[in-house]
Every structure is written in C-alpha cells, then in structure tokens.
Amino acid sequence: MSGLFIVAIIFIFSSTIHAQFKDEPNVLVIYSSSTEELDEHQRSLDMLISHFTNDVAFVSSDDVEKEDLTDVTHLFYYSPVPEELPETFESLFADYNETFVAIGYNSEQLGDHFSFVKPKGGKEIDQLVMTNDKDKETDSAPQKIIEVEPRENSKVVIEGKKQEDETTYPVMIKKGDRYFYGVDTIRASEAVLFGEVLHEIFEVDHEEKNPAYIQLKDVHPLVDYKDVKAIAEFLKEKDLPYMVSVTPVYIDPETGDKYHFSDNPELLEVLRDIQEDGGSIVLHGYTHQFRGTEGEEGFEFWDTKYNSPIYAPADEDYSLKERSDFDSETEYKDYISDLKQFETNYIDTKLTKGIQELVKYGLYPLAFEPPHGSMSQNGYQVTSNYFSTYVGKVQLSDRDRNKTDRAPYITSPTFLHGMQLLPETMDYQDLGSKQIPSIVTDLTEAINITDDGLFSGSYYPYLGVENFKQLIYEMEKLPNIEWIDLKEMDVWVKADGVDIFTENGEVVVEKERNKFIVSSIDFLSFQFFRVIRFIAWGMAIIGAIAVLIFIILTFVNYTRRNRLRSNY
C-alpha cells in the first residue's frame, strides 16, 4: 500500500514538473538567409521573441530536420530573401499542430499552413496600424512589404500604408494559430506592433506597467563633478533610482596622459554618494578608446578604422581575409579562431581592469554598456562571463557597426548568452533648442503602444541640471511608469578577485583583499592624500576649537578684570 502511495506521489510530482516546463514556451526559428548564417535580421527577431521565453533555438532551413520540431510549442519561419526551399519542406510540417508564424518570403512552400494568404508582389509603406485599434500606429522608415491577398476567413491584424496615400495593405494576417507577417526586414525598434501581437501569440498578459530608467552618460575622471553632483542631489530629493555609466580611466588623445579618479577626488566622492543614495554604477568600458588618438568618442570594443572586431593591436595594420584566400575550410576556420582568440584576450583584459579599477575606489558596477553599443558577437559571449546585465543598444553584425538595434522592451536574446538586455529606447544626443516635452512625446510615442514597453534614455551631465529636471518631470507624466532599480534586480558581476551581486536590495561585494590593497600607485596616492586631507581637516578643526577657546577665555578674563576694577 505504501508503495502505491509513493508511486502516486512521484506521478503527481513529475506531472507538476512537466506542467511547469510546459509553461515556458519552446520556440524554434527556422531561417533562410543569403549567407546561410545568422545575421542582423534573425537577431532582431531574437530580441522580440526572447522577451517571452528563454527557450529559443535557431536552425537554418538547409539543416532543419523533423526531429527538431519535437516539443516545439511555437514555430517561426523567417526569410528576408526569396529562395527555393528543400523538397523535405513539403512534408516537414505536415504533423505540426502548434502555433506557427511565417515571416517574409517562401510561405507558400510551407505546406498548406499558409494557404490563406496569396503573395502578389511588393509594396513600399512608411506607416503601420493595428486594425482593431486605429490609435495604435507607428511611423517607420520606408520599408518593403510582401503584398498578399487574404483568403479563407482570415483576419488582418496589422495593415500598412504610405502616409501620402490612403491605400492600405494587409501586413499581418492570422487564421487560428497561424500568423503571416509580410515584411522582409525586421528592426526590433520599429516592430512595436509586431511585438504587441507577440503577446497574443504567446498568450501572455503583462501588468499594465512601463518600466523606465534614466542614465547619466559618459562619466570619466575629467568630468566636472559639479554637474554630476547637482543632478545627483535632485534625484536624491525625488528618491528616484538611476544609473551612471562610468569609464574609470581617461587617456588624453594629444598627450597620452592617463587620468584616474585619484585625479578628481571630488568627483569620486560624488560617485560614492550616488552609489549610497539610489544610483547604480554601469561600467562603460575601461578607457572608452581602442586607439589613444580617438579621445572620449572612441570605440573601445570595435575597430572603426577597419570596421571590424578587435582582431589586431591598435598600432598594427591588417586586412581581414576571406574564405577564398585559403586552400581549405580547416585553414580558414583556424584563421578565424586565432582572430577571435586575440579579441577574447583583449576583452578579458579590458573588462577585468575596468571592474577592478572601479572596485579599488569603492565603486561597484552592476551592469555593462560598451561605448556606442559596438561589440562583436564573440564579444557578447565573452562579456557574459563577467556581467549578467547589459544596458543600451546592441550590434547585430560582425561586418558593420552600423547594424545596431534596440528592443522595445526588456529581453534576453540568445546572442547575449544569458545576459538580460535593458535597451535604450529614447535615443537622443543633444537637447539643443527643442522643447523637452516634445522630445519626450516624440521618443515615447511608439513604445507607449505596448503595455510593458520600456521608457529609457541617457543624459549627459554637461547639459545642466535644469534641462534634466524638465526631462524627469516629463517622463513622470508617462502612463504606468515604474522606475528600474538595479539593486532590486537579480544581477551579478564577476572578475578576477571580486564577486558583486545584489541581495535584498543591497549590493554585496566579495573580494580578495590582497588584490586591492596594493594594486595601484594611483590608488595608494589617492588614499595617502585622502588621509592627509583628513588630518589637515582635523588639525584645522582642532585649531579652530583652540582659537574659539582662546577667544572665550580672553573674553572671560577681560570681563572678570573689569568686574574686579569696578569693585575697587
């Protein structure tokens, strides 16, 4: 009897585990591309899908097999190019009965699943509208759509048009749990409506809250501490959490001189206060430069001279070879492997030095943002060994740094290898003469469409506290806003000799003391002069007290003598 009871308990327990597993959507994305490799198109889609699940896999249309569909709850096919699919596609999906989404070309080759749409040609649009809610519309750069004719009781979910023309075209059509999205290019930042439909596809209802963050940008040792302090005091009064992107070392591009926070102790004290009063530190590179001549606008993790990852020393000329330059595939792969190993060593060194430099001054980074958001795919994998959280925009191609994008909401795309992405959705560089209310309205109009869209942006302290106050006041008017506090999230940072993580809203630091006591002459000099300043202030206070006592005693003696004289 007891045996039957145990078996029953095991069955119930295993059923519960299975049910919990089923709650996590299992997504397979089959893709076609001209290079037969993942590119910026698939990675933009990755950012959108990975908001809903961490179980996402990508497989090329040339390599997919029927076994890959096992346990898949949501199947996506995406092709930005028309092509002839393998003959196996005729029967590959015959038995697949779960949610199926086709994006781009070749949907007519996916069996009968998308017979409810008939491709007709191509059109160009610059506006998308949700058909069941005309208030939800977004403007975009002109983009090509695949014109289709909806059939068989299908429903148009999103339609597109050119603003100068009133003619509308179906862009997203559904029938049951089959969805066709007729675009050849996905940019996550412009795919807000598609991202909203994904809530329906994944059957997810989010709370009507819009997370938000503001980040003080590009704080390095030569930044005027007064600008940062004025903004920090305002945010402390409002009890509003925020982030500060910090580059711990500045190299003068003309002289080559290096500056550390020991050279600007007032700024260091402000940053320490920020850390105590609600702000969170984000490592923004180690020097913000690859070549010393680049200055603070440099790209530390991308070689702008060759528009490539960091594959060679800054002072060395090189040219990236192609497959055709080698006699065999093995030689080419070994060549690429050597290049990636150089980049890996470079990034390891930069991240380790950056984290350690901050820690030795008592600053504890909780996230990472590369300068200008530029980094290779290998770079993201290396960075995921150091940080759990990534802030800003991401680069989607190893061939062009301009192939960047941002998601409309918080996500964990597979190409970030476990890092959570807090994208920057309000991208402005300078307030200029524009009115801040109109800036906020323009930048948040599209993000406001989705219930859990992220309102986030950066601000340069040199623009002044008054402009910043206006910006915050306008952001606070946004609906359902909820400010992100990195300390309240589950984040961690690791480097040689130090572990940083959050626990119950606090930052916990575990470090090997010997690595940080005598690790830098700059640090030692800073601590020495800090002690000297402390002693000097102490002596000044003691001196002031002595002077005050002398004045009081002199006054008492003077009063006493006058009293004695009057008695005589």
Side-chain angles (χ1 to χ4, degrees):
M1 189 71 178
S2 60
L4 291 175
F5 177 75
I6 292 172
V7 170
I9 291 297
I10 292 174
F11 175 77
I12 293 171
F13 180 75
S14 62
S15 299
T16 302
I17 294 296
H18 181 68
Q20 290 174 346
F21 175 77
K22 290 288 286 183
D23 287 342
E24 176 82 354
N26 182 352
V27 177
L28 177 66
V29 180
I30 302 171
Y31 67 92
S32 297
S33 72
S34 56
T35 62
E36 299 182 359
E37 295 179 351
L38 284 172
D39 57 25
E40 62 271 17
H41 302 289
Q42 290 82 39
R43 293 186 182 112
S44 277
L45 178 61
D46 189 357
M47 284 197 289
L48 295 168
I49 294 175
S50 294
H51 174 67
F52 302 93
T53 177
N54 292 317
D55 193 354
V56 184
F58 287 79
V59 61
S60 167
S61 58
D62 291 329
D63 299 327
V64 65
E65 298 178 357
K66 201 171 186 68
E67 291 75 18
D68 294 324
L69 276 63
T70 304
D71 295 328
V72 169
T73 62
H74 295 75
L75 179 63
F76 288 74
Y77 171 78
Y78 177 30
S79 178
V81 293
E83 69 172 9
E84 192 72 27
L85 296 178
E87 292 183 5
T88 55
F89 272 57
E90 287 292 328
S91 58
L92 184 64
F93 311 111
D95 301 326
Y96 186 76
N97 297 314
E98 303 295 335
T99 303
F100 198 169
V101 182
I103 304 170
Y105 295 97
N106 313 322
S107 62
E108 69 279 6
Q109 301 180 56
L110 305 178
D112 296 328
H113 290 280
F114 298 95
S115 59
F116 60 89
V117 293
K118 178 184 177 182
K120 295 169 57 178
K123 294 290 182 181
E124 189 177 88
I125 63 165
D126 56 16
Q127 189 174 63
L128 293 167
V129 183
M130 196 79 80
T131 54
N132 65 348
D133 187 349
K134 299 295 185 181
D135 290 333
K136 291 187 175 182
E137 64 177 26
T138 62
D139 298 337
S140 69
Q143 67 178 104
K144 185 179 179 182
I145 64 167
I146 301 162
E147 186 183 8
V148 295
E149 178 185 330
R151 294 175 169 181
E152 301 176 15
N153 300 319
S154 59
K155 176 184 177 182
V156 177
V157 181
I158 300 174
E159 59 187 14
K161 62 181 179 180
K162 258 208 156 167
Q163 296 186 56
E164 62 185 27
D165 186 356
E166 292 302 316
T167 305
T168 60
Y169 306 94
V171 175
M172 190 166 195
I173 305 100
K174 66 170 287 190
K175 183 180 181 183
D177 55 5
R178 301 293 185 263
Y179 295 79
F180 172 79
Y181 189 36
V183 300
D184 59 359
T185 300
I186 290 179
R187 283 190 57 82
S189 54
E190 296 179 351
V192 177
L193 292 184
F194 177 58
E196 183 69 355
V197 176
L198 285 175
H199 288 78
E200 174 188 324
I201 291 173
F202 286 102
E203 298 179 339
V204 171
D205 291 324
H206 287 295
E207 294 183 65
E208 291 190 4
K209 291 182 179 179
N210 291 96
Y213 72 77
I214 193 72
Q215 180 179 213
L216 302 186
K217 195 85 164 185
D218 286 356
V219 175
H220 57 74
L222 293 190
V223 167
D224 189 340
Y225 80 93
K226 295 177 185 177
D227 294 332
V228 181
K229 184 176 183 179
I231 294 173
E233 289 176 346
F234 166 71
L235 290 168
K236 182 179 180 180
E237 289 176 6
K238 294 190 68 62
D239 192 26
L240 193 153
Y242 60 105
M243 306 178 201
V244 185
S245 71
V246 179
T247 304
V249 176
Y250 179 84
I251 302 177
D252 190 306
E254 296 182 0
T255 65
D257 293 337
K258 289 186 178 181
Y259 297 89
H260 302 257
F261 283 121
S262 55
D263 299 303
N264 194 346
E266 294 87 356
L267 177 60
L268 178 57
E269 290 301 328
V270 170
L271 290 174
R272 281 177 163 171
D273 290 341
I274 283 173
Q275 194 170 242
E276 292 296 320
D277 297 334
S280 295
I281 305 298
V282 174
L283 180 65
H284 192 44
Y286 176 53
T287 63
H288 210 298
Q289 302 160 311
F290 173 50
R291 292 181 174 83
T293 56
E294 292 172 336
E296 61 186 290
E297 292 302 315
F299 290 68
E300 188 169 6
F301 298 96
W302 188 259
D303 190 338
T304 55
K305 181 177 180 179
Y306 299 105
N307 196 19
S308 79
I310 307 293
Y311 284 157
D315 57 354
E316 181 179 307
D317 292 329
Y318 89 102
S319 59
L320 185 62
K321 298 179 181 179
E322 301 293 340
R323 169 64 183 87
S324 57
D325 297 320
F326 296 86
D327 295 330
S328 70
E329 184 71 17
T330 299
E331 290 180 359
Y332 176 64
K333 287 183 177 180
D334 289 343
Y335 166 73
I336 295 298
S337 178
D338 289 342
L339 293 180
K340 287 185 176 181
Q341 188 57 56
F342 180 89
E343 182 193 31
T344 296
N345 295 340
Y346 171 86
I347 295 174
D348 279 333
T349 300
K350 286 283 192 170
L351 295 182
T352 299
K353 286 185 175 182
I355 294 169
Q356 290 181 345
E357 178 83 8
L358 290 178
V359 169
K360 73 189 180 188
Y361 287 117
L363 302 175
Y364 307 115
L366 297 182
F368 175 71
E369 179 186 19
H372 307 286
S374 294
M375 180 174 263
S376 74
Q377 300 307 303
N378 177 58
Y380 292 137
Q381 185 167 4
V382 176
T383 302
S384 69
N385 297 322
Y386 294 84
F387 292 91
S388 68
T389 308
Y390 180 105
V391 176
K393 60 184 179 181
V394 290
Q395 184 168 312
L396 305 180
S397 170
D398 284 354
R399 293 184 174 274
D400 187 356
R401 73 172 180 83
N402 293 312
K403 302 280 178 143
T404 60
D405 203 358
R406 61 181 67 84
Y409 33 50
I410 298 173
T411 183
S412 298
T414 61
F415 65 85
L416 288 187
H417 303 277
M419 289 190 291
Q420 186 175 51
L421 170 63
L422 305 180
E424 181 181 342
T425 59
M426 299 166 57
D427 186 17
Y428 60 90
Q429 296 298 318
D430 200 330
L431 296 176
S433 60
K434 283 193 72 173
Q435 294 296 311
I436 289 177
S438 65
I439 290 176
V440 173
T441 300
D442 293 344
L443 294 174
T444 62
E445 189 172 1
I447 297 299
N448 198 27
I449 288 174
T450 185
D451 290 338
D452 55 343
L454 174 67
F455 299 127
S456 57
S458 298
Y459 186 87
Y460 298 91
Y462 69 81
L463 293 172
V465 68
E466 293 306 318
N467 275 333
F468 183 79
K469 287 180 179 180
Q470 292 183 52
L471 179 62
I472 294 299
Y473 293 147
E474 289 302 318
M475 288 186 68
E476 288 181 321
K477 296 176 185 178
L478 297 170
N480 308 313
I481 195 168
E482 188 173 82
W483 295 99
I484 290 175
D485 186 350
L486 286 180
K487 297 184 182 71
E488 297 293 338
M489 299 174 66
D490 182 17
V491 304
W492 56 261
V493 178
K494 298 178 181 179
D496 184 28
V498 60
D499 285 341
I500 305 168
F501 56 93
T502 54
E503 192 174 85
N504 300 321
E506 300 291 332
V507 178
V508 181
V509 182
E510 297 177 354
K511 58 185 176 180
E512 296 178 28
R513 187 174 298 274
N514 63 315
K515 287 185 179 293
F516 295 94
I517 290 180
V518 194
S519 58
S520 167
I521 294 176
D522 298 306
F523 176 63
L524 288 175
S525 64
F526 166 74
Q527 294 291 5
F528 174 75
F529 285 112
R530 190 180 181 203
V531 171
I532 294 297
R533 284 197 301 272
F534 177 79
I535 294 174
W537 273 106
M539 293 178 65
I541 292 172
I542 292 172
I545 293 173
V547 170
L548 181 62
I549 292 173
F550 175 78
I551 292 172
I552 293 172
L553 290 176
T554 301
F555 177 77
V556 169
N557 288 332
Y558 176 78
T559 304
R560 184 181 299 167
R561 283 197 299 270
N562 283 343
R563 191 179 299 134
L564 289 173
R565 287 172 184 165
S566 63
N567 289 336
Y568 288 107

